[in-house]
Amino acid sequence: MSEGDRELVAALHGCNQRGGRMLTVVDLVEAGSCDVSVAGYLCAVMRGGSSVLVGATPGGGGKTTVMCALLNFLPNETRVVVVEREGVLHELPERPTCVLAHEISSAPYYAYIWGETVRRFFEVGRCGYWVASNLHALSLIHISEPTR
C-alpha cells in the first residue's frame, strides 16, 4: 500500500464516528440516496481532482458518509492531510494533496475548523490543493434573519 493510500485509509477511519463499515458510493445508490448518473458524475469529478463540500442537516444527515465515499475516488497518489490543528495548513506537502477538515463548525471536536482556520483552509484550496469538508445546511439556500 502506498503512502497516499495509507493516509487516505487513516483519514477515512478517523471520520468514522459511528463505527462499522463505511458506506461506498454503490451503497448510496442502492439505498436510493443518490441516483447512478449523479453518483457517476461525482466520482468522475473527484477522480479529476475536485474539492468537495457536503452540506446537510446537523447530526445524522449523511454528510461524512457521502464525503468519505467520494474521497475514495481521489486520483492515485494523492496525499491526504487532516487539519487537526491550524498550523497544518502552513506545513502542507507538495501537491497532489487533499486537505481534509471533518467539519466547518465551531464545535470543539477533532479536525473541526472555524474562524481564521476556515479562511486559510479555503486559501489553500485556491493555491492548487484540494479541500474536503462537511457543513450544516438547512436547505440549498439558507438566509438567516439578522440578529438584533
Side-chain angles (χ1 to χ4, degrees), residues 26-101:
V26 172
D27 294 324
L28 297 174
V29 169
E30 288 178 350
S33 299
C34 184
D35 75 27
V36 73
S37 61
V38 171
Y41 171 76
L42 293 172
C43 293
V45 296
M46 287 303 295
R47 190 66 179 174
S50 288
S51 292
V52 63
L53 294 174
V54 180
T57 60
K63 300 175 295 294
T64 300
T65 299
V66 170
M67 180 185 70
C68 289
L70 293 175
L71 287 174
N72 281 290
F73 290 90
L74 285 170
N76 294 343
E77 301 307 317
T78 300
R79 304 274 316 264
V80 177
V81 175
V82 178
V83 185
E84 55 193 359
R85 57 184 173 72
E86 197 273 335
V88 167
L89 295 170
H90 299 283
E91 307 163 353
L92 294 172
E94 291 185 27
R95 295 173 291 275
T97 300
C98 178
V99 182
L100 171 64

